[in-house]
Amino acid sequence: MKELYFQPIAQRAEEIIDAILRTPEVASCPKESYAIHLVCEELVVNVVSYAYADEAEGYLKIQIEKADGMIAIRFIDGGVAFNPLERDMPDVSLSMEERQIGGLGIFLTVQMMDEVQYERINNENVVTIKKRISDEK
């Protein structure tokens, strides 16, 4: 398992996303790279932007594991408790003008991944995403 750790995380979303995408585990999944990139960007930006109070020196731990035809990425932060899966999913049948702001990112995460799970463990938010991967390159 590959582990990445970032502290502080303020203003570092792009750096964190790039580090995830450059790991051998993720880089070896070219067919899934678009979905993984989009979902990682959504989750990292949300943690960097909203998990910690202003000026808090937050952290983000990322664990990446590739096994048995699946890649799993776990995002762990010590920010305020927040389960993104409890949000109402947006009604995508409505026009852009009629939709509520927010929620589209977690909707896309759930749609693009095979599994999405949230847990609150030891005062940490733990979001795990899993994607089936192709052995073909």
Side-chain angles (χ1 to χ4, degrees):
M1 177 182 346
K2 177 72 171 180
E3 293 189 1
L4 304 171
Y5 184 83
F6 300 90
Q7 185 177 27
I9 60 171
Q11 311 289 318
R12 296 179 68 192
E14 189 173 321
E15 173 190 347
I16 295 168
I17 296 161
D18 287 345
I20 295 168
L21 298 176
R22 282 187 273 122
T23 63
E25 294 81 0
V26 174
S28 67
C29 303
K31 288 188 175 185
E32 296 80 15
S33 65
Y34 176 77
I36 292 170
H37 184 166
L38 184 70
V39 168
C40 286
E41 184 172 329
E42 172 64 22
L43 295 173
V44 168
V45 167
N46 281 346
V47 170
V48 169
S49 300
Y50 305 115
Y52 296 97
D54 293 338
E55 305 302 317
E57 192 169 305
Y59 65 88
L60 178 59
K61 294 185 275 189
I62 298 163
Q63 300 171 338
I64 305 168
E65 188 171 7
K66 184 179 167 192
D68 302 324
M70 194 79 108
I71 188 162
I73 306 173
R74 184 171 290 116
F75 301 82
I76 304 163
D77 70 77
V80 79
F82 178 69
N83 181 350
L85 300 175
E86 288 180 344
R87 281 191 62 123
D88 289 335
M89 293 294 162
D91 183 350
V92 294
S93 68
L94 297 174
S95 70
M96 292 297 283
E97 295 80 24
E98 295 174 300
R99 286 188 207 160
Q100 296 278 339
I101 295 174
L104 194 55
I106 195 63
F107 172 80
L108 290 173
T109 297
V110 169
Q111 293 297 310
M112 298 182 98
M113 294 293 113
D114 294 300
E115 292 179 43
V116 181
Q117 180 182 15
Y118 171 85
E119 301 171 277
R120 182 76 177 172
I121 303 172
N122 298 324
N123 292 320
E124 291 180 316
N125 296 300
V126 181
V127 175
T128 304
I129 60 171
K130 294 182 180 180
K131 180 79 174 158
R132 285 186 202 91
I133 52 175
S134 168
D135 289 332
E136 300 176 27
K137 293 197 178 190

